[in-house]
Each structure stands twice: as C-alpha cells, then as structure tokens.
Amino acid sequence: MTSPTPKPPVDPVACLPTRLDAAMRAGIEARVQVLGRELLATSLAARPSVVSPDYWAEQAGEWVLADDELKVRLFRLVDCMPMLDDPAAVDRHLREYLDDEVLEKLPAMLRVALKAARSGLLAPFAARTVRAAMLAQAKRFIAGTTPAEAARAAVLERRRHRVFTLDLLGEAVTSDAEADAYAAAYARLLEELPAAAAAWPHDPLVDDGPAGPLPRVNVSLKLSALDSQFDSIDPAGTAERVLARLRPLWRLARANGAQVHVDMESHATKGLALAIFKTIAREDEFRDWPHCGVVVQCYLREAAHDLMHLAEWVRQRGTPIWVRLVKGAYWDYETTHAQAAGWPEPVWQEKWQTDACYEAATTFVMEHADLLRPALGSHNLRSLAHGMAVAEALGLDRRGVEMQMLYGMGDAEKEAVTAAGWRMRVYMPYGELVPGMAYLVRRLLENSSNDSFLRAGLVRQVPPERLLAPPRAAEPTAPAAPAAVWSAVFTNEPLADFAIATNREAFTHAVARARTACGTPALVPVVIGGERLEPADRFVRRDPSAHARTVAEVCAASPADAGRAVETARASLPAWQALGVHRRASILRAAAAIMRTRRFDLAALQVFEVGKPWREADADVAEAIDFCDFYAREAERLLAPRRVDVPGEENATTYLPRGVAVVIAPWNFPLAILCGMTTAALVTGNVVVMKPAEQSSLTGLRLFEILREAGVPAGALAFLPGRGEEVGPVLVSHPATAVVAFTGSRAVGLAINTRAAEASAAPGSRLIKKVIAELGGKNAILVDDDADLDEAVVGVVASAFGFQGQKCSACSRAIVLDHVHDAFLARLAGAVRSLRVGPAENPGTRIGPVVDQEARDRVHSFIEIGTRTAATVAAVDVAPLAQTGWFVGPHVFADVDPTGPLGQNEIFGPVLAILRARDFDHAIELANNTDYALTAGVYSRSPARLRQAAEHLAAGNIYLNRGITGALVNRQPFGGYRMSGIGSKAGGPEYLLQFMVPRTVTENTMRRGFAPPAPAGG
Ligand SMILES: Cc1cc2nc3c(=O)[nH]c(=O)nc-3n(C[C@H](O)[C@H](O)[C@H](O)COP(=O)(O)OP(=O)(O)OC[C@H]3O[C@@H](n4cnc5c(N)ncnc54)[C@H](O)[C@@H]3O)c2cc1C
C-alpha cells in the first residue's frame, strides 16, 4: 500500500510564490495598519448600541461562552428546537438541557426568568416564547424561507450598496429525488430572479466590473447536494451524475446573465468538487464564460497547492474565474474527524497559520488577478485590510476585486468596507430552518470561538494593535499539552482515506491484480504440521458478483484430517507455550506489519471472494491488524505475574493456555474475525486448528501464510479448509480440543455448544471444553420524534445495507416514533432507492451481491414474506445483475408484525423492517422483544431518552446518535448476550482470559521462624 497521505506542508507562508520583495511587503504592512485602523474605527462607530437587541444578543452569547458545558448544551438545544412543534416537547427539552446545575451558571436575571419559565401555569406559554426567541436568533443568519423573501432581503442589501450571492439551505441529500429537487429550486431561481433584477436601479459601486457590468444575480451552490451518493471513492461516477444536474444550471445562468459560484465543504469532498468544477468550466460550452467561480479554503494545508494548480489550469482554459478565498467553516469537524480516524489533520492547527495562509493566498490570487479574480470572504478586518493594501500595491482596479461577508454577521464591518469604497457581497442563505440547522450551528460555533476575529474585535474589544498584528507564531507560554489520553492507550489502524488519489489508485491496482489472479484460480490446500495436503475432494469458490468467475479451488479436509490436525497441534503445545508471551506477542506484531504491507491486496481479494465493497474490505483488513496489535499488548499485560506476598508467604497468580483451540470462522469478516480468534488463542499460548469458512477459504489461507511467515511454528497452527458439517463435529468433540472459538449462526453455535458439552461429559474426557460463540442479532435502531432525520436516515441506511446487511451487527429493524414515522419513511425510501447496486469491484457500488446462492434464496424467502404480510416501502430491482451474480436489491418493509418472521428472525441480507412505536417506552419494549441482544442504536436529541436507552436497551453494544456497525477494537469491544452469544467481547480487555486458565502458586517461605523480607511492592 502506498503511504495514505502526501506529506502536508509545514509553513503556511513559504508554500506560495510571490513577486513582492521585502520593501514592498514592508510598505504593504504599513498600509494594512492604516487601512485596518480606519476600518475598525468605522465599524466600531456602527456597532449595535446598548439599546439594540443585537447588543444584548452578543452579551448573552458572552455569558454562555464562558462555560464549555453550557455552550454545548445550548448549541444542542438550539439545534433541535425547530423540530419541536408542540409546547410540551419544547418544555421537556428545556428542562433536560437546562437543568438546575446548568442554570446556576447563568447570570441571576436569566436564571430567575428561566426557572419561572420551567414551572407553573405559564410553562407552556414560556416554552413557546423561549422557542420563538431562539428561532429568532437563529433566523438572524437566514435571509428568508422562500426565494421571494430572499429576493426582498437582497433588494434591502442593494439599498445599502451591497450585492449578494444566494445560497439555498438544504438537508443532507440522501436520495436522487432530493438532488433533483435541489437542482430544480436553483433552476427556478435562475429563471425568475434575473428578470426582476434587470429592473433594479444601477449602482456603480457594486454593479460595475473592470470589463463592464457584473451579473446582478449571483448564486452559490454545493455540489454534494446534486448527488445522493457524492463520494470521493468514485470520482468518475459521482462527476457524471453531478454534471448531469449542474450543466442545465450553468446553461440557465449563462443565458440569463447570472453568476454561479461553487462552495467548498469538507476536505473529503474538496478534491472531487474542484475536479468537477474544472471539468464543467473547460467544456466547450462554458470555457469562455467568466462568470463562474470556486471557493478555496485557506485553513487547508493543501490550499497553496490547489491555488497554484488552479492558476495553471485557468491559463489553459483561457478565461478567468472568480476565486473566493475563505478560511473555512468546518475547522472543528475536520480536526475532530481526522483525530478520530487517525488521519493527519488536513487543516492548520494554529489560528495564525490559517491567517498567514490566507494572506499568502490573497497575494497570490491578486498577483494572478488576470486568471483568478479575487473575492475575499472574511469578517477579519486585518485579513481584508491586507487584501486592500495588496490590491493597492499591485495597482489593481477596485472593481475587479470584491469583499464578501455572511448575512447576519458583522453588519458594522460590512458598512466599514462599503464606506471604504470596496464592493461588498453578502452571502445570503435562505430556506427552511430545520434543514438549515447545520449551517446555523456552524455560524454559532464560529461566532463563539475564542479565535474568532469578530468576537475579539467587536465583543471582547481586544485592542487594535493586537487585532491588526500580522499573523505569526505566538511565543510559547506553556509546555505543550500532554498527548491525548486515548492515543496513549491504543491506536487503531487508520482506515484508508479514499479522498486521497494515491489511495484510490493503489486500491484500483490491487483490484486489477486480484481480478487477474482469478484467471488461474488459487488452490487452497490443507496444511497440518507444516505438511501441505491437496486431497482430491475439492470445491470451487466463485465470485458472488460474477459467478462465472472462479476465485479459488478449495481442498476439503476430511474428518480424519481434522482428528490428525488436533493431535499434531497438541504435540506442539509445550514448545509454543515455552516461547513465552513476549516472543508470541512479537510474532503477532510481525503479522500486523506484514498485513500492512499487503493491505490493499488482502482487501481486494475479499472484493472477489465474498463480494465486499472497497471501503468495507479495507476496514476488515484494518481490524485484523488491530486484533494482532491489541491482543499482543493485552497478552503481555495479562500474563505479567500477579503477586500478593506477605511476610512468610508468596503468592503468584498467572495464566496457562487451555491447550488446543479450534477456531471456526465466518465469511463475512473473512480476515478480521478469523484473525482475531486465532491470534487471541495463539498469543495466550494455545495451539490452533484454524477452520476458515467455505466461502472465504482463500482469505483464510492468506492469513495462515502471514502468521507462519511472522514466526508461528508449523506445529502450532493447522489450516483446515473444508465443509463445516464434515470436519466441524470431529474438531469440536475431539478429546484434546480444549476451547472452541466460533462466530456464525445461532443454529450452528448452539449445536457446537451442545456437542462440546456432550463430549466433555463423555467417558474418558479429561477436560470441560470452553465454548466462545459470537452469534447473530436482530438489531434495532430507534428513531425518536426529535431525531435529526438527516443523520438518522444516513445511519440507518449504512447500518442496514452496509455489506448488504451481512453483518451480525447490522440493523434489521428501525423502530420509529409515530410522530416522525411517515417523514422518516419517505426519506428512507428515497435514500434506499438511490443506493447503487453493482459488482463489488466498482468503487461506486454501495450494495454488492450476497455471498452465495443459498444466501440469495434465503433472503428472497424473507422478501416474499414481507411482500405478502407488510407494506413494501422500497424494493430495488436488480434484474440484469441477477443473471450474472448473487444480487438481491435492498428492500424496506413497513407495518411489519413485530412478532412475525420479519420482526424476529435474523435475515443476514439487505432487508429492513420498520416498526411504528407509540412512544419511546414502546420503542424500547419493541426493541427488546427478540431472542437476541447484540447491537442497538438510537437517534434522539433528548438527553433523558438517550440515558433511558443506554440503561434499558438489551444489547451488548449500544450506539447513540450514530450507526450501529463498525465497532473498533478496544474502542468498542464487541459482543452480545442472550442468543447473541456466550463469552466476552472481542477486542475488549477480558477477551483473552477466555483462552486461559488462571493458576495460583502459594509458597510458605517461613523456615523455623525465619522468613526472607517481602519483595518491595509485594
Ligand atoms: C462570502 C462567504 C462565503 C463562504 N463560503 C464558504 C465555503 O464555501 N466553504 C467554507 O468552508 N466556508 C465558507 N465561508 C465561511 C468562512 O469559512 C468562515 O466564515 C470563515 O472561516 C471565518 O473566518 P474569518 O476570516 O471571517 O474570521 P477569523 O476569525 O479571522 O477566522 C476564523 C477562522 O479561522 C480558522 N481557525 C479557527 N481556529 C483555528 C485554529 N486553531 N487553527 C487554524 N485555523 C483556525 C477557521 O477557519 C475559522 O473559521 C464563507 C464565508 C463567507 C464570508
């Protein structure tokens, strides 16, 4: 695998070339100070007075922001407020978020008022008032609900000599229908507004560019809203779909004399958005059109690189574009997301770096103003003054440069910029409040950040010399913060970041190699005691996406082989145990290192052997690596002798391996689960007979080879592919088998348990076999009536249909509260119908095939029951694909009988049952009413209900406000109870104990009244 990310630049200034010499730079800095002070003075004069509600809003903000906990609670309360449409719900949320502890932190006046609001007859009235007040605050940032309202707000801006760019707020686009609706709304705007705009009086300050009048209508749009499957893993497919919706909009804009600007969102989609912009802007139809533009976010370390490429690209295009430089609105998200994923943060980590990068980018864009027309989107008067000074120094025509700010923020500053004679464009979002909440929370975060210029300048009144100081590293004042606690414990192997082109390319090559290898299908042998056996009894494994393709020919071990494998392993037990835990742990670490070097090849094999889509296959390999590293650490921790010595007596407790471990693994995590069970047994000193699933024997062989290469001796590990029903019983009941680690179906798990118990009780048996079994689930996600439906739809879809629903953790029931049932269902249905079904080797595939013919038939039988007994909400037809592979389209059924087969049985396929709940208690009751207790989840914004779910849901893994699959080693130890399994959680601190027996040695050290001193710390 290639390195996951290119090395990010370290110096935000030096990474962009400039023609300015030192003297010019000094002159510019002097001018920045003058312009900056002028801007500050004008804006301070124009700021809200103490009699203005805006002033009090700012002050209230300051009280809130003094306390992190309060800030989090208030933001969360604001976030869910628009969803709450009855006073009782508002009242309940107010009480939950603003409990007594929180209220004590507020200024006395506010505390008394809120306490009054929470009690007595006035409570419903007060709840309504608080909601209205909060929404009014939120609406400050939104220019209206409808295009007409937004247009009216735009006209008001023009009266203040400011122009606008309109942005339609939208919910996360989860379906093709929503993407169509988003495009249609823009089309309407571009059809209707330009005609009205033609009648507006001409304003030379804002309407004239250097080469004539500028478009009066200017829109900003987000490309991710033009495709429900917008994903960097599939640039070609995504671009095709986005362009199909984007071209008509550009045509309309061009024909009607409007301008279109492409916004930038997360770093994960930045490369794709830029590529799509460049594609359309170079198409014959648009390459001579100057009224288009794109955003560059200067908080990104890649900003300099992107700008230089953009300039070069425009040179080839031959017509300039607008470039809006912003710092970036997702700093907290990018930082948290990267840290949680174990990726390098794509954004600068110190504010001065972003500011410095912004200034370097400003200079660069202005030096290339013939190619990149500068638009500075910032509320930072230092940043803007710098831009003005550079423009002056380079002699740019002011009409070719513009300053931009957000609606509802920094109005005094807008006035200052306009008064200074520069064109000010206001970014005006409009639309419904519920889908607009993500935008609002970004604004709240920005306004409340300690690093915000607006807050420093206008609210905290930091002195001008500090506000206008050039960005540079602060003198270190305190020692660097200690490393975060979580990373000190265990660092998970990062998943591949498919937003990075080199990763996509490397994976594509690995897929090509795996496909070619299928041309001469590998033979999977039986290996016992290092001896390779190739019995004639064999079966063929086919690619589930294209069953004409053979992936492997698998030798089937016989029952006699099974017996021999156990005996040979037993003979190697003493030597393997004697190696000691540190040596065994180092072998696991070596195996992890080998897997890292073959990472994408191991994943690509799964693509063909079990039909796993790219991301899921990559995650499986990462998890296998985690198991090796984690169990190595855990074994060393557990096997350190525990001593409790007292004078005259020494006690040492340690662990012994159980003996021969039989590992019987499933195909759905073909590397990770096999690897986890095997390495757990090995590192604790057991010898192992490894039985891979029939469907994933070749992946099993690759793991076996890696473990051998890493140093596991031939005798300590046998590899026994074959038919479970033939070799399984022999392996389990063999008198030398001490432990069976199994993951798979409930029926087989229970049969193994019975057989192991019977064999333990058989005459001559000298041990009671230990069975560790991780079985199925009938997992539910609850959707509360205040849930964020954007997130709930995405989370349910990912949990129910990821790897075609073939995970024991998969969501197979969504239990939705009556109040939001229909709205949720409508969005879910659209999202499911929009999922791309196809061969697993295509990067854009969201739903691949199920694992084999038997699985397909079983899933079909449940679909047939659903069609007969429930309401079909989504039924995706896979007609042509079904000819060549084992495909089943995703299905969703509503009005499902909770006690019937769809409500109770594990389906292990892309079928989701929807249950309607009267209230939250009922939802929990429904969720718990199955034989299983594996995973469960809830989407809710009520702290009390989240607590209730955490306490009362019957599941081994409970997820709040996120999907329910993808447990990470150590972070989410995985496993359930009831019929979901016996044993403790994989990837958790107790897992290894199951493979060992504890033994305590006590020695009386007293001899005739004389005892050695107790060891220190004993
Ligand atoms: C017209 C317009 C259009 C916009 N379009 C987009 C867009 O398409 N995409 C987008 O992402 N944003 C967009 N924004 C939002 C913009 O990114 C934020 O408003 C802007 O970052 C705030 O920066 P500032 O210069 O106004 O304020 P400042 O207070 O000077 O800077 C705040 C910014 O600094 C950065 N920052 C904060 N803390 C740190 C830290 N510790 N280390 C490094 N950097 C830090 C963050 O980017 C933060 O937003 C747009 C803004 C405007 C005005």
Side-chain angles (χ1 to χ4, degrees):
M1 181 187 163
T2 52
S3 132
T5 33
K7 268 210 170 337
V10 285
D11 184 341
V13 183
C15 45
L16 272 168
T18 172
R19 294 192 295 271
L20 299 178
D21 59 25
M24 283 180 88
R25 283 203 297 272
I28 287 171
E29 184 52 41
R31 187 71 184 131
V32 171
Q33 297 303 320
V34 174
L35 290 170
R37 275 169 198 270
E38 284 170 14
L39 289 172
L40 267 179
T42 325
S43 62
L44 280 173
R47 70 172 303 225
S49 77
V50 284
V51 292
S52 146
D54 284 356
Y55 174 86
W56 288 102
E58 278 167 9
Q59 293 308 316
E62 285 304 292
W63 290 324
V64 164
L65 302 175
D67 186 288
D68 280 344
E69 156 98 16
L70 188 57
K71 173 172 156 180
V72 169
R73 291 214 190 186
L74 275 173
F75 283 9
R76 289 186 174 176
L77 181 60
V78 170
D79 178 42
C80 67
M81 207 43 92
M83 277 287 282
L84 310 177
D85 48 13
D86 80 290
V90 177
D91 186 46
R92 181 164 61 81
H93 284 77
L94 278 175
R95 284 165 194 279
E96 290 179 19
Y97 280 101
L98 306 181
D99 56 21
D100 287 340
E101 199 185 321
V102 164
L103 284 186
E104 286 314 313
K105 297 176 174 171
L106 288 176
M109 223 171 61
L110 217 57
R111 182 168 64 236
V112 173
L114 278 168
K115 274 194 173 163
R118 287 188 346 182
S119 56
L121 285 176
L122 283 180
F125 171 73
R128 263 196 296 267
T129 313
V130 172
R131 178 175 187 262
M134 278 196 167
L135 297 190
Q137 279 305 312
K139 281 183 187 153
R140 280 171 22 139
F141 303 111
I142 296 184
T145 310
T146 61
E149 282 176 17
R152 271 198 294 279
V155 170
L156 286 179
E157 291 298 336
R158 286 184 62 86
R159 292 207 186 124
R160 297 183 186 114
H161 305 289
R162 313 202 279 240
V163 274
F164 64 87
T165 179
L166 284 178
D167 159 63
L168 173 59
L169 291 170
E171 44 207 355
V173 164
T174 55
S175 68
D176 292 341
E178 286 172 3
D180 285 339
Y182 184 83
Y186 268 104
R188 258 195 320 280
L189 193 68
L190 289 168
E191 268 159 9
E192 291 167 9
L193 197 54
W200 294 336
H202 177 75
D203 183 340
L205 177 64
V206 289
D207 286 335
D208 293 340
L214 295 170
R216 290 187 175 183
V217 171
N218 184 313
V219 298
S220 292
L221 52 79
K222 296 186 173 41
L223 296 186
S224 72
L226 293 177
D227 180 32
S228 66
Q229 312 294 308
F230 197 94
D231 191 342
S232 299
I233 203 169
D234 177 27
T238 306
E240 191 184 321
R241 294 186 297 271
V242 169
L243 287 167
R245 293 190 176 96
L246 190 59
R247 276 189 204 101
L249 297 178
W250 278 43
R251 265 177 218 137
L252 261 179
R254 186 164 196 182
N256 294 350
Q259 175 162 331
V260 178
H261 210 93
V262 170
D263 281 349
M264 279 297 152
E265 303 170 73
S266 66
H267 173 250
T269 57
K270 186 249 328 175
L272 184 51
L274 265 179
I276 293 173
F277 172 80
K278 288 178 181 171
T279 303
I280 190 167
R282 269 198 82 167
E283 289 179 356
D284 286 347
E285 187 179 0
F286 301 113
R287 70 181 298 158
D288 60 345
W289 190 43
H291 301 306
C292 57
V294 72
V295 168
V296 172
Q297 296 153 310
C298 297
Y299 65 5
L300 290 179
R301 296 174 198 267
E302 294 160 3
H305 169 270
D306 291 344
L307 272 175
M308 286 189 287
H309 279 260
L310 213 46
E312 194 42 48
W313 168 85
V314 175
R315 212 184 297 282
Q316 289 162 19
R317 178 182 189 241
T319 314
I321 60 163
W322 283 93
V323 171
R324 177 193 298 151
L325 293 179
V326 303
K327 287 174 194 164
Y330 309 84
W331 188 88
D332 298 75
Y333 165 80
E334 297 292 5
T335 301
T336 316
H337 177 65
Q339 286 173 353
W343 295 339
E345 294 98 354
V347 290
W348 301 111
Q349 286 300 292
E350 290 178 51
K351 170 71 163 61
W352 75 267
Q353 295 173 310
T354 297
D355 289 339
C357 183
Y358 192 87
E359 293 193 2
T362 301
T363 307
F364 180 85
V365 170
M366 291 193 171
E367 284 182 335
H368 297 81
D370 54 328
L371 307 169
L372 310 173
R373 295 186 167 170
L376 305 186
S378 172
H379 296 97
N380 185 323
L381 294 181
R382 153 82 207 185
S383 304
L384 295 184
H386 171 265
M388 294 169 185
V390 174
E392 281 178 12
L394 296 175
L396 296 188
D397 183 338
R398 277 187 183 206
R399 293 170 306 172
V401 178
E402 63 185 45
M403 310 294 159
Q404 302 189 342
M405 291 190 189
L406 300 175
Y407 184 80
M409 278 172 64
D411 277 348
E413 301 192 309
K414 289 177 190 137
E415 284 186 33
V417 170
T418 307
W422 294 85
R423 180 167 60 246
M424 165 57 57
R425 188 176 299 281
V426 181
Y427 185 95
M428 301 178 71
Y430 74 97
E432 296 291 340
L433 209 47
V434 173
M437 286 322 283
Y439 175 83
L440 287 171
V441 170
R442 282 203 299 279
R443 293 292 76 81
L444 289 176
L445 269 176
E446 193 169 310
N447 284 352
S448 63
S449 158
N450 278 334
D451 281 324
S452 152
F453 179 94
L454 262 192
R455 188 161 165 244
L458 294 185
V459 185
R460 286 158 60 213
Q461 301 195 4
V462 171
E465 56 277 14
R466 271 180 50 209
L467 284 176
L468 297 175
R472 68 167 74 92
E475 295 298 317
T477 48
V485 187
W486 70 85
S487 61
V489 178
F490 177 76
T491 308
N492 295 93
E493 182 69 13
L495 303 181
D497 180 355
F498 286 107
I500 296 172
T502 48
N503 283 349
R504 289 196 301 274
E505 282 153 19
F507 206 98
T508 307
H509 289 139
V511 165
R513 282 194 295 276
R515 194 190 307 108
T516 308
C518 292
T520 39
L523 180 70
V524 179
V526 175
V527 188
I528 299 172
E531 190 189 348
R532 186 182 162 104
L533 308 170
E534 297 179 2
D537 182 9
R538 296 174 186 182
F539 54 87
V540 161
R541 175 61 192 162
R542 299 183 178 283
D543 174 3
S545 304
H547 41 52
R549 178 186 289 139
T550 300
V551 178
E553 194 184 345
V554 184
C555 296
S558 65
D561 293 333
R564 212 154 48 79
V566 174
E567 277 144 27
T568 312
R570 179 174 47 182
S572 303
L573 181 65
W576 176 240
Q577 186 186 349
L579 269 190
V581 65
H582 295 299
R583 175 72 191 115
R584 293 194 302 266
S586 73
I587 291 175
L588 260 60
R589 291 193 180 99
I594 298 170
M595 284 186 215
R596 280 191 192 96
T597 63
R598 300 182 193 160
R599 174 138 170 200
F600 283 172
D601 285 309
L602 289 165
L605 171 57
Q606 299 187 21
V607 169
F608 291 99
E609 195 174 25
V610 296
K612 244 185 201 218
W614 285 28
R615 234 184 222 116
E616 314 255 6
D618 171 67
D620 186 64
V621 184
E623 189 178 6
I625 294 171
D626 279 350
F627 277 132
C628 292
D629 283 340
F630 183 70
Y631 289 151
R633 274 170 83 130
E634 283 295 294
E636 286 176 332
R637 177 178 71 83
L638 289 167
L639 285 170
R642 174 181 178 271
R643 297 195 65 106
V644 182
D645 296 339
V646 294
E649 180 186 283
E650 288 177 12
N651 299 284
T653 301
T654 185
Y655 294 94
L656 298 180
R658 286 183 178 271
V660 177
V662 165
V663 168
I664 304 178
W667 48 264
N668 63 339
F669 290 89
L671 189 71
I673 293 184
L674 182 63
C675 176
M677 295 193 293
T678 303
T679 53
L682 283 173
V683 77
T684 44
N686 302 278
V687 286
V688 176
V689 178
M690 187 163 109
K691 157 75 182 74
E694 287 89 319
Q695 296 91 334
S696 55
S697 306
L698 184 53
T699 301
L701 176 65
R702 297 293 174 243
L703 173 65
F704 172 78
E705 290 164 350
I706 288 170
L707 289 170
R708 291 278 291 111
E709 197 179 325
V712 177
L717 182 62
F719 180 63
L720 213 73
R723 299 181 191 90
E725 62 277 19
E726 289 171 8
V727 291
V730 179
L731 291 175
V732 173
S733 35
H734 194 287
T737 297
V739 53
V740 181
F742 170 78
T743 303
S745 74
R746 168 178 167 174
V748 176
L750 290 176
I752 287 176
N753 200 34
T754 307
R755 188 174 291 276
E758 283 168 2
S760 303
S765 165
R766 304 189 72 173
L767 47 79
I768 302 173
K769 293 172 196 296
K770 170 93 179 167
V771 175
I772 305 160
E774 203 261 282
L775 311 177
K778 185 68 190 171
N779 314 306
I781 294 183
L782 280 54
V783 182
D784 197 1
D785 51 14
D786 67 351
D788 181 331
L789 293 190
D790 274 357
E791 291 192 357
V793 168
V794 171
V796 168
V797 167
S799 306
F801 300 109
F803 190 34
Q804 297 79 261
Q806 302 173 114
K807 301 179 188 177
C808 44
S809 56
C811 168
S812 65
R813 297 175 301 153
I815 303 175
V816 189
L817 262 68
D818 189 46
H819 194 67
V820 287
H821 180 273
D822 296 352
F824 173 78
L825 212 58
R827 294 201 60 198
L828 180 78
V832 172
R833 285 189 210 111
S834 308
L835 294 171
R836 311 265 166 246
V837 185
E841 65 175 295
N842 292 352
T845 289
R846 285 290 302 278
I847 307 281
V850 295
V851 74
D852 56 20
Q853 175 79 44
E854 195 186 328
R856 182 167 78 172
D857 294 346
R858 199 192 55 251
V859 177
H860 274 160
S861 71
F862 280 101
I863 291 174
E864 190 273 319
I865 296 173
T867 315
R868 219 168 6 88
T869 63
T872 306
V873 174
V876 176
D877 182 22
V878 292
L881 286 168
Q883 309 301 314
T884 49
W886 294 306
F887 288 92
V888 183
H891 281 67
V892 180
F893 295 103
D895 300 333
V896 168
D897 173 6
T899 59
L902 241 52
Q904 291 292 320
N905 295 15
E906 189 182 34
I907 301 174
F908 230 62
V911 178
L912 175 67
I914 309 286
L915 310 181
R916 188 192 290 261
R918 287 185 304 277
D919 52 33
F920 201 70
D921 291 343
H922 184 214
I924 290 194
E925 189 187 315
L926 286 169
N928 290 347
N929 184 25
T930 74
D931 298 341
Y932 298 99
L934 188 52
T935 63
V938 54
Y939 281 90
S940 173
R941 284 183 282 196
S942 153
R945 287 185 177 171
L946 290 171
R947 275 197 304 276
Q948 185 185 352
E951 265 176 46
H952 296 294
L953 279 174
N957 288 71
I958 297 172
Y959 298 91
L960 308 180
N961 287 320
R962 52 152 281 177
I964 63 172
T965 56
L968 289 177
V969 168
N970 184 49
R971 248 150 83 176
Q972 294 106 13
F974 183 76
Y977 50 98
R978 290 192 190 162
M979 282 297 177
S980 292
I982 24 176
S984 89
K985 286 163 167 296
E990 295 94 21
Y991 188 72
L992 294 187
L993 293 176
Q994 307 172 107
F995 292 85
M996 301 185 286
V997 284
R999 204 165 61 142
T1000 305
V1001 176
T1002 300
E1003 182 181 352
N1004 172 12
T1005 54
M1006 182 84 82
R1007 298 283 188 277
R1008 300 196 182 284
F1010 164 76

